Amino acid sequence: MEDRTIVILYGSETGCAQDIAENLSRQARRRQFRTRVFAMDDYDKKFWRFLLRKNLPQDILSDLDCAVIGLGDSSYRNFNYPSKKLYKRLLQLGANMLIERGDCDDQHYLGIHRVDGAFIPWAKQLWEIIMKKYPTDLPILSDTVLLPPTYRAEWLSDSPSESDTRTEGFDMTVVQNTRITATDHFQEVRHLAFSCPAHYQPGDIAVMMPQNVREDVDLFLEQMGWSEYADQYIRFVPEEAHGVPLTMRFRDLFIRHLDIFGVPRRSFFEVLSYFTKDENLTERLREFASPEGQEDMWAYCMRPKRTIAEVLFDFKPVEIPFDYLLDLFPQLKPRSFSIASSLSVHPHQLELCVAIVKYKTKLRKVRRGVMTKWLATLNPGDTVSGVKIMKGTMNLPPSLDIPLIAIGPGTGIAPMKSFIEERIALGALENYLFFGCRYHDKDFHYRKLWEFYQDKGLLKVFTACSRDQEEKVYVQDRILEQSSLLWDLIDQKGAKVVLSGNADKMPDQVAYAFKQVFMKEGKLSAKESEDYFDLMVKTGQYQEECWS
C-alpha cells in the first residue's frame, strides 16, 4: 500500500475469491483509495519467484502493509492451505500484517457463498485499522452512491480485426461425443474426444472455458430488451491504465464471457440495486446485499438456486447502462477436467470423461451445469477455443517396474485411464485398478477397455458396484478385501497409489481403509499406521486429485 493505493490479489477457481476481491475493491474506492485487482496468475511472476527464494533477509518486506484472507472448507484436510502458507511466508520476510489472517469456511452456518460469516467482520476490522493508518480528508462514499464503472462501453461501426477478438490458449476440434452410461441411468456421463495440437502428459488437466448455449442467450437478450444489439460489436475500454480493452459481438459477450445463468453472489444484488426503477425493489436488493439480509438472500436465491436471469426477471423493470455490464455480471470461469487419454495410444488426440450436471431445485425447476450443458451439445467438427494444459497433482511411478494402484470411482476414472493406457503402451505389467460405480451394466465406464487389458494379463481390475446387491459395496471395501495383495505391493515393491474422484467422504474412507490394511498385514499400531500413510503422502507414493 503506497500513496493510498491498494493492490488486491486473488486466486479463484469458482469465482468466489474474485467476488470477495472485487467487493474489497469497491469498499476501498468508497474510502478514496486507488485500487488494482489482479488474479494471481496475471500478477508479476517475479514477485512470486522472489517470495520463494531462500536466504532472504528477514526484514526485506518490512515496508509492506498487507492482509491475507483464505476461502475454503474445513472438512478438507488442507483447509485454506495456500493462504496459511502465504501468510506465514510474508511474516517470515518481515511484512507488516495489518490484521490476523481471515478464514472463510464453507462449513460456517452462513456459508462461504453468503459472504458472510467470517468475511464481513474481518473486512470491517481491516478497514478500521487501515483508515487509522491512512487517513484522508475526503469523505467516505455511502453505499447508496453508485461508483464510476471500471470500463467504458463503445459501440463499433465496423467489425474489429482478428487481433482484437482472439483468445489465449489453443483450439481443439470435436472428434467424438458419446454417452457412455445406459440411457435409463439417472446420470449422463459422456466420453469426448478432440483433435489436439498440444502436448500433454498422463495426469495433466485440460482447462476449458464454458459457453452459454446460443438459444438460451437469445431468449435472455429478448427478456432484457437487447435483441437489437445482438449482432453489433462492442468494445470495453478500462478506465484504469492497467486494464486491457475487450472487443466482441454483443451476443458473444453473453455466450462466451458473462455468467448469466449462474447463481448470483451478494455483490450482484449490491450493484443491481442501483438500476431498478421501483424503490421497493431497490430496498429489497439492498437488504439482500447487507449483512443482516443474508438469511433472506439465502432463502430467495441460494437455496432454490435462482439464476441471474431469473433474478432480473423478478426485479423488473431494470435499466442497466452498458458501461456497467462488466461490473454487474460475473464472468464465466474456466473449468478443469482430468485428461482421460494417453498420447502414446491416441496421438494428436485428447479425451475427457464428463458427468453432465442436471438436478431439480426446490422450485421444481431442472437445472443444468453451464459447462456440461454446453459440452453435451457439441458435435463432431465443432471447435472448442482457448484450451490450456496444466499439470495435475498426480503423476506416474518413476519406473515401469514399480506397480501402479489406481483408484477411480465414477468419473475419477479419467486420469486413471490416461495412466493405465500410458503404462501398458510402455510395457508396464503390474497395473491394478479399483473402480466404483452403481451398476455393472449401467455406469461401468470403459468396461470393455478394462476387460481387454485384463484378458491380455496387463491389468487386474477390482470393481465395486454399490447397488448391484442388497448391501452396498464401495472401493474402500474392495481395498480391505485385497489387504494382503496391497500390503505386499506397497511395502515390498514400493507400489504407487493414485486416487481420483469426489472429495466428499470417499478420500478419507479410502485413506482409512489403507491404514487398516497396514495395521492388519503389517502388524503396525494405529500410530505407526498413521505415520506410514503420512510418509507415503509426503514422498509422493500416495497421491490424490479430488473435487467437490
Side-chain angles (χ1 to χ4, degrees):
M1 191 183 303
E2 184 177 328
D3 298 328
R4 290 186 60 80
T5 296
I6 296 178
V7 175
I8 301 173
L9 306 179
Y10 67 88
S12 188
E13 290 186 359
T14 64
C16 194
Q18 180 179 358
D19 189 67
I20 280 186
E22 291 171 349
N23 188 317
L24 284 170
S25 175
R26 288 191 296 274
Q27 293 182 27
R29 292 169 67 194
R30 292 191 182 283
R31 289 163 175 81
Q32 305 294 345
F33 285 94
R34 289 181 294 276
T35 65
R36 293 189 293 164
V37 180
F38 297 96
M40 288 185 177
D41 290 346
D42 297 333
Y43 195 59
D44 188 349
K45 301 298 188 294
K46 292 180 181 178
F47 176 70
W48 300 111
R49 287 198 294 269
F50 160 77
L51 284 181
L52 296 173
R53 282 171 53 188
K54 297 180 180 179
N55 303 318
L56 288 171
Q58 294 183 356
D59 62 349
I60 196 167
L61 295 182
S62 59
D63 293 333
L64 178 67
D65 288 342
C66 56
V68 174
I69 186 167
L71 283 67
D73 188 325
S74 59
S75 65
Y76 295 135
R77 289 196 293 270
N78 293 325
F79 170 58
N80 279 351
Y81 175 75
S83 65
K84 292 175 181 177
K85 188 173 182 180
L86 175 61
Y87 184 81
K88 182 178 179 181
R89 184 56 174 161
L90 291 170
L91 282 176
Q92 288 173 344
L93 299 178
N96 175 32
M97 307 307 296
L98 295 169
I99 187 175
E100 286 290 318
R101 188 193 73 248
D103 282 317
C104 290
D105 184 4
D106 205 20
Q107 296 300 313
H108 191 281
Y109 77 97
L110 281 180
I112 202 170
H113 300 298
R114 283 178 268 183
V115 185
D116 25 29
F119 171 68
I120 291 172
W122 181 88
K124 180 180 179 181
Q125 185 181 355
L126 174 66
W127 290 119
E128 289 173 355
I129 295 169
I130 289 176
M131 293 305 289
K132 287 180 181 178
K133 189 161 188 177
Y134 295 90
T136 178
D137 294 332
L138 297 173
I140 296 177
L141 299 178
S142 164
D143 289 342
T144 60
V145 176
L146 175 62
L147 292 170
T150 53
Y151 285 83
R152 182 178 70 258
E154 299 176 348
W155 292 101
L156 305 182
S157 55
D158 299 319
S159 58
S161 64
E162 182 181 348
S163 61
D164 288 333
T165 59
R166 65 181 176 214
T167 57
E168 295 182 358
F170 58 87
D171 292 351
M172 299 194 304
T173 303
V174 179
V175 175
Q176 180 183 354
N177 187 354
T178 308
R179 177 172 179 148
I180 58 174
T181 47
T183 54
D184 61 344
H185 187 55
F186 80 99
Q187 175 71 75
E188 179 182 358
V189 176
R190 304 192 74 84
H191 172 77
L192 294 103
F194 306 86
S195 64
C196 176
H199 181 79
Y200 62 86
Q201 296 288 342
D204 283 356
I205 292 171
V207 182
M208 305 168 66
M209 284 299 302
Q211 292 186 22
N212 291 311
V213 176
R214 173 169 173 163
E215 291 76 13
D216 295 342
V217 168
D218 284 344
L219 286 174
F220 172 78
L221 295 179
E222 183 178 343
Q223 170 191 323
M224 298 299 296
W226 292 340
S227 297
E228 63 183 293
Y229 304 106
D231 293 314
Q232 296 184 38
Y233 281 91
I234 190 169
R235 173 181 292 142
F236 293 94
V237 181
E239 295 292 356
E240 296 288 341
H242 67 270
V244 178
L246 303 172
T247 305
M248 68 213 75
R249 201 185 297 268
F250 191 68
R251 177 188 287 111
D252 287 341
L253 174 66
F254 297 95
I255 290 178
R256 299 175 180 272
H257 296 276
L258 300 183
D259 187 7
I260 54 176
F261 301 115
V263 178
R265 291 186 165 85
R266 180 186 137 186
S267 60
F268 176 81
F269 295 100
E270 176 189 335
V271 180
L272 183 62
S273 68
Y274 299 106
F275 308 129
T276 51
K277 297 302 175 185
D278 184 311
E279 290 186 5
N280 293 324
L281 296 180
T282 299
E283 183 179 352
R284 185 67 169 150
L285 288 168
R286 287 178 179 163
E287 286 176 4
F288 285 160
S290 71
E292 299 77 19
Q294 294 304 285
E295 281 301 325
D296 286 343
M297 193 267 277
W298 181 264
Y300 165 74
C301 183
M302 298 298 184
R303 190 172 292 121
K305 304 293 185 185
R306 268 189 174 84
T307 68
I308 285 174
E310 289 170 336
V311 171
L312 287 170
F313 183 83
D314 285 350
F315 283 85
K316 292 172 69 173
V318 294
E319 188 172 313
I320 303 167
F322 294 124
D323 285 346
Y324 283 92
L325 289 177
L326 301 186
D327 290 303
L328 175 64
F329 294 107
Q331 294 187 26
L332 288 167
K333 298 298 174 189
R335 310 298 203 267
S336 298
F337 297 95
S338 297
I339 296 173
S341 55
S342 158
L343 282 173
S344 299
V345 179
H346 307 278
H348 312 297
Q349 191 160 298
L350 183 151
E351 299 180 354
L352 302 177
C353 178
V354 179
I356 305 303
V357 178
K358 181 180 178 181
Y359 60 94
K360 277 190 176 181
T361 71
K362 291 184 178 296
L363 298 177
R364 311 298 297 171
K365 291 188 177 181
V366 175
R367 292 281 189 261
R368 291 178 171 85
V370 171
M371 181 72 183
T372 59
K373 180 179 181 179
W374 170 63
L375 285 177
T377 68
L378 294 177
N379 295 307
D382 288 347
T383 299
V384 175
S385 302
V387 184
K388 298 178 182 178
I389 302 295
M390 291 180 59
K391 301 303 293 183
T393 59
M394 304 182 296
N395 50 41
L396 285 166
S399 166
L400 295 177
D401 296 328
I402 297 175
L404 175 71
I405 301 168
I407 307 164
T411 54
I413 196 64
M416 306 311 158
K417 182 172 176 290
S418 74
F419 287 142
I420 292 169
E421 285 185 339
E422 178 80 359
R423 292 259 301 174
I424 290 176
L426 297 180
L429 298 177
E430 288 200 83
N431 305 297
Y432 302 85
L433 173 63
F434 288 78
F435 175 72
C437 61
R438 292 197 172 207
Y439 303 99
H440 179 277
D441 296 331
K442 293 189 177 183
D443 58 339
F444 189 166
H445 309 327
Y446 305 111
R447 175 172 58 87
K448 291 182 179 179
L449 176 65
W450 309 136
E451 290 174 347
F452 174 79
Y453 283 148
Q454 189 159 241
D455 291 344
K456 295 284 187 179
L458 302 172
L459 177 68
K460 182 66 176 174
V461 183
F462 304 94
T463 58
C465 304
S466 63
R467 305 301 199 275
D468 274 343
Q469 59 285 312
E470 186 174 338
E471 185 176 344
K472 293 178 182 177
V473 178
Y474 301 105
V475 287
Q476 57 267 28
D477 301 311
R478 297 296 185 225
I479 288 169
L480 292 173
E481 291 173 1
Q482 300 299 324
S483 62
S484 177
L485 169 66
L486 292 173
W487 174 250
D488 179 68
L489 289 172
I490 292 170
D491 193 61
Q492 298 300 313
K493 298 183 178 181
K496 179 162 187 173
V497 182
V498 287
L499 168 69
S500 181
N502 191 287
D504 187 13
K505 297 177 181 178
M506 184 272 296
D508 287 339
Q509 291 171 339
V510 168
Y512 180 67
F514 272 108
K515 293 168 190 176
Q516 288 182 295
V517 169
F518 302 158
M519 287 189 286
K520 177 184 176 183
E521 304 295 340
K523 311 303 181 187
L524 303 183
S525 67
K527 175 65 165 60
E528 290 169 334
S529 175
E530 287 281 353
D531 293 343
Y532 193 102
F533 182 82
D534 290 344
L535 182 62
M536 289 182 67
V537 173
K538 185 176 181 180
T539 60
Q541 188 181 358
Y542 187 101
Q543 294 178 328
E544 65 179 48
E545 184 172 273
C546 300
W547 59 88
S548 56

